[in-house]
Amino acid sequence: MIPTSVKQIPGRDGRAEIGIRAMTSGDLPDAVLLSKALGWPHRLEDWDFMLRQGHGLVATLENGAVIGTILWWPFGTRYATVGLVIVANAWQGHGIGRTLLATVRRLLPGYSLYLNATPAGQPLYEKLGFIPTGIVEQHQGNGVSAPIVPLEPGHRLRPVVQQDQQELAALDGAATGMDRARLIEDLVAAAKGVVIDTGDGIVGYSFCRKFGWGWLIGPVAAATPIGARALIAHWIGTHGGEFLRVDIPAACGLSSWLDDMGLIRVDTVNTMSTDAMTAAPDGPCYYALTSQAIG
């Protein structure tokens, strides 16, 4: 259960009371306004999808106005990701972001937490014990080239079907180290997906869904870089001329190829965590995030 708390901070007229409570769907229109003030593209539908996948808190004024948000997603019993940590510009510098994140940490005892930090947020996360562990590159644009990427003999691309769900969850777990079965279930139901099928099993998957100003490619996991390129190229070809976005771990090595495909790198953020995760040896790799917030 998420506790309700009150924080007193200096205000314009004496001390202001800032409430911290669970986020509900009724808070989402205010959350959209907060993200738009930062220039982020999240629509109401994007916030709704992410809240339904996890949990959220809001910081509110005495009149009920929402001035801060945070969301988090427990994946199994060991790992969780955190995102959409926002404090309205007029209320920054009062420790509200610190309070929101500290509350989430108390709600997740024993969990290793992961997040993708903007330059503005990184100093706060470092003070709370997060350390940089990698870089995420944001690529976007109107895809201008989508050559067919040849797969290994016997491998083929085909649409995701509901019967793939358990195998996809296992592949995703091997690539991310997290139990994201529920997320995969919802993506199968709500997004478009393709897999690389060998005839003996699935060795790669990718999803594509509406997000922000157009379409978001991700998550993507595959056994090889060639497989990942084929999975991503499928969506570039499917949505030729439309706005596409994909967020990739820099270590996956696809940045230059995406630039050539017309999806240009426009930004980077630092992945940070409270603990290091040990990658599974010789397993599939994670080539594109579900979103910068969810990971």
Side-chain angles (χ1 to χ4, degrees), residues 5-294:
S5 62
V6 173
K7 174 184 176 66
Q8 288 195 342
I9 64 173
R12 296 176 181 83
D13 302 307
R15 300 189 68 83
E17 286 193 348
I18 306 298
I20 306 294
R21 61 167 174 80
M23 179 184 288
T24 70
S25 59
D27 297 315
L28 296 181
D30 290 331
V32 172
L33 293 177
L34 287 175
S35 57
K36 281 187 175 180
L38 295 175
W40 296 357
H42 301 67
R43 308 167 302 152
L44 181 66
E45 296 87 345
D46 303 323
W47 273 94
D48 180 64
F49 175 82
M50 289 186 282
L51 179 59
R52 286 188 286 109
Q53 292 301 315
H55 312 275
L57 295 174
V58 291
T60 62
L61 299 177
E62 293 175 81
N63 64 4
V66 174
I67 59 169
T69 64
I70 189 170
L71 269 66
W72 71 97
W73 300 270
F75 293 124
T77 58
R78 295 180 57 197
Y79 303 112
T81 58
V82 179
L84 293 169
V85 184
I86 305 174
V87 176
N89 185 62
W91 291 95
Q92 291 181 10
H94 293 291
I96 297 171
R98 175 188 288 271
T99 299
L100 287 168
L101 189 52
T103 302
V104 171
R105 294 200 68 174
R106 288 197 299 271
L107 292 169
L108 294 169
Y111 275 77
S112 297
L113 304 186
Y114 293 80
L115 55 78
N116 290 307
T118 63
Q122 186 166 340
L124 168 63
Y125 306 137
E126 290 176 340
K127 290 176 184 176
L128 291 174
F130 287 80
I131 57 174
T133 57
I135 295 173
V136 167
E137 300 174 317
Q138 178 182 333
H139 284 255
Q140 63 189 42
N142 299 75
V144 296
S145 176
I148 295 174
V149 179
L151 296 172
E152 294 182 33
H155 293 197
R156 66 185 179 96
L157 281 181
R158 65 163 175 82
V160 167
V161 296
Q162 188 172 4
Q163 290 76 11
D164 294 327
Q165 191 171 295
Q166 186 172 354
E167 194 170 356
L168 291 178
L171 176 63
D172 181 82
T176 66
M178 301 182 184
D179 178 1
R180 308 198 310 173
R182 183 190 163 199
L183 172 62
I184 295 297
E185 178 182 0
D186 284 356
L187 288 169
V188 169
K192 300 187 290 185
V194 291
V195 299
I196 300 175
D197 193 334
T198 68
D200 294 321
I202 294 171
V203 295
Y205 76 77
S206 67
F207 288 95
C208 185
R209 69 185 191 279
K210 279 282 191 180
F211 178 89
W213 298 314
W215 296 90
L216 176 68
I217 301 171
V220 178
T224 65
I226 291 295
R229 292 183 185 185
L231 290 161
I232 294 171
H234 170 82
W235 299 120
I236 298 175
T238 301
H239 296 289
E242 298 180 80
F243 184 86
L244 289 162
R245 170 175 172 170
V246 59
D247 296 285
I248 64 168
C252 79
L254 294 185
S255 187
S256 296
W257 177 78
L258 285 169
D259 286 341
D260 292 340
M261 297 301 102
L263 302 186
I264 307 303
R265 189 181 73 172
V266 297
D267 197 12
T268 62
V269 293
N270 282 331
T271 300
M272 304 186 75
S273 68
T274 54
D275 298 284
M277 179 186 290
T278 303
D282 301 322
C285 292
Y286 197 47
Y287 287 93
L289 280 59
T290 309
S291 68
Q292 277 194 17
I294 295 177

